[in-house]
Amino acid sequence: MPEVQKKLRVGVLGCGPISQAGHFEACTKACNAELYAICDSADDLRERMSAMWAPQKAYADYQQMLDDEHVDAVIIATADAFHVQLAIMALRAGKHVLCEKPLGVTVEECEELLQISRSTRRIFQIGHMKRFDGGIQSAREFIQQEMGELVAYKGWYCDNSHRYTVTDAVQPQIVKSLSRRKPAIDPKADLQQYYLLAHGSHLIDTAMFLAGEITEIEARFLHRGGVHCWYMDVAFANGTLGHLDLSVGVRMDWHEGFQIYGENGSILGKTFNPWLYKSSEVDIFHEKTASWSRALAADGQFYRRQLESFANAVLSESAVAGTGVEEGLLIVKAMAAIQASVRTGKSVQVAAAKGAI
């Protein structure tokens, strides 16, 4: 008889939109993980999701799910303000953690989480699922194997005014509950903060994945005509010049991508609305052959691929291939540096950034 592959038994905390649109399906499709448990304090939502996705256990209390010895790992899919405290609880309970992005909303809480993560020696990965976009991965492979020295990186992330027309058409109907647990302050009360956390974290993570650590940021911000726009000059640790554009509510289609110039070639990347599950179109110019190439990257189920990579790290006791907690802290620091630069009009060293986003 063939050996049955062990599967990671996952408990998903939070039955809200991101779980309904991404994590529940990922858990049921993953080759090396299973949806063992779900947890939500809203009875109506939990019962509805339990009926739809058929986990073995459904918990109203998070600590009870953590006390379940059969739960190997948890996916934290709650509001940003809850991420750190819930992750710490999971780590102290001996669970591995896949936490939705961003890691947290203040530098200091993320620094505390990093120390606790190191002391518990559990696998900790952040849900920057774009690292599992096959097109973006082809760009990273070229950079590491053939490009030589990087010269410049330009990245942009422009959410658009028609995005909900697209997502309403392709996502499942999202079920909501009036009993859901909410942060003390509405996350969307300050849209400048909300958009930076929700979208800026992706922009920064992709830049770091491809061009390395960001060390310095000079940012300008403008809110005009209903569009929130950040233009940022950034310095990378390897000396690469960088420019980032985060604009939310642009009057056009979704507009996301990157251009990279290097010693032995260049890269042009176009990334799509993630809910289309279409891998980025990444065109790579190879100087040595004066030719272009593009990976098909047909498997665009980023959330399933993200979970499978996380499960593999846990089951094989290997390093995380996605965004780790150290990088998650750097991303939060970069966002704090952006806010500080906008306030002061000066360039800010990322390593020195402190406080809330």
Side-chain angles (χ1 to χ4, degrees), residues 14-313:
C15 292
I18 191 64
S19 290
Q20 293 179 44
H23 293 304
F24 289 149
E25 182 175 326
C27 288
T28 57
K29 286 186 174 180
C31 66
N32 56 357
E34 63 174 299
L35 181 62
Y36 174 82
I38 64 173
C39 180
D40 201 291
S41 60
D43 294 338
D44 55 345
L45 187 57
R46 183 184 65 257
E47 291 169 5
R48 178 79 173 270
M49 291 303 107
S50 184
M52 289 178 64
W53 296 100
Q56 295 188 42
K57 300 285 186 178
Y59 292 100
D61 182 82
Y62 181 45
Q63 188 59 56
Q64 288 184 359
M65 185 170 77
L66 294 179
D67 290 339
D68 187 335
E69 62 181 8
H70 297 294
V71 174
D72 300 316
V74 296
I75 294 176
I76 296 174
T78 65
D80 299 345
F82 301 141
H83 286 178
V84 168
Q85 67 185 79
L86 297 172
I88 289 174
M89 289 177 64
L91 291 171
R92 287 177 170 164
K95 309 301 183 186
H96 304 282
V97 177
L98 174 57
C99 181
E100 259 302 326
K101 58 79 194 169
L103 181 60
V105 296
T106 74
V107 171
E108 290 73 19
E109 67 173 354
C110 294
E111 289 175 332
E112 178 187 7
L113 176 56
L114 172 60
Q115 296 306 315
I116 292 172
S117 175
R118 287 172 172 169
S119 68
T120 59
R121 303 180 68 82
R122 299 289 90 184
I123 297 294
F124 196 111
Q125 183 173 314
I126 303 163
H128 284 287
M129 83 295 175
K130 292 179 187 289
R131 292 201 180 198
F132 300 93
D133 177 321
I136 296 175
Q137 289 178 328
S138 72
R140 178 178 167 89
E141 181 178 348
F142 175 73
I143 290 168
Q144 292 183 327
Q145 297 182 3
E146 187 178 335
M147 180 171 258
E149 289 189 308
L150 271 67
V151 177
Y153 178 97
K154 293 189 287 186
W156 53 93
Y157 187 115
C158 304
D159 197 348
N160 66 315
S161 55
H162 301 278
R163 68 89 53 92
Y164 290 110
T165 302
V166 173
T167 55
D168 287 348
V170 298
Q171 286 183 342
Q173 183 66 42
I174 301 299
V175 180
K176 298 182 180 180
S177 172
L178 295 176
S179 302
R180 66 187 185 276
R181 185 183 175 194
K182 302 177 184 178
I185 300 174
D186 181 0
K188 294 185 179 182
D190 181 347
L191 287 178
Q192 183 176 345
Q193 178 195 56
Y194 176 76
Y195 289 148
L196 185 58
L197 286 166
H199 304 305
S201 57
H202 276 311
L203 177 65
I204 295 165
D205 182 70
T206 300
M208 288 178 50
F209 184 55
L210 296 176
E213 181 181 342
I214 295 172
T215 57
E216 186 177 359
I217 299 176
E218 184 173 355
R220 291 175 291 157
F221 173 76
L222 178 65
H223 179 209
R224 178 181 290 175
V227 180
H228 291 72
C229 180
W230 291 259
Y231 269 21
M232 297 160 275
D233 288 323
V234 302
F236 291 92
N238 58 16
T240 300
L241 297 178
H243 178 79
L244 303 179
D245 167 10
L246 174 64
S247 299
V248 183
V250 293
R251 275 43 176 174
M252 58 184 292
D253 196 0
W254 185 278
H255 182 54
E256 181 183 359
F258 47 87
Q259 295 181 14
I260 311 173
Y261 310 134
E263 180 183 9
N264 299 317
S266 297
I267 305 172
L268 306 177
K270 178 180 180 180
T271 299
F272 300 90
N273 184 313
W275 301 110
L276 297 177
Y277 289 121
K278 177 179 173 60
S279 295
S280 297
E281 293 179 348
V282 176
D283 294 310
I284 298 173
F285 185 79
H286 306 260
E287 178 68 16
K288 66 181 180 182
T289 58
S291 63
W292 291 92
S293 68
R294 177 191 290 182
L296 175 60
D299 182 1
Q301 226 300 357
F302 318 120
Y303 284 93
R304 192 207 79 247
R305 298 186 74 210
Q306 169 183 257
L307 176 59
E308 288 176 342
S309 178
F310 171 71
N312 179 67

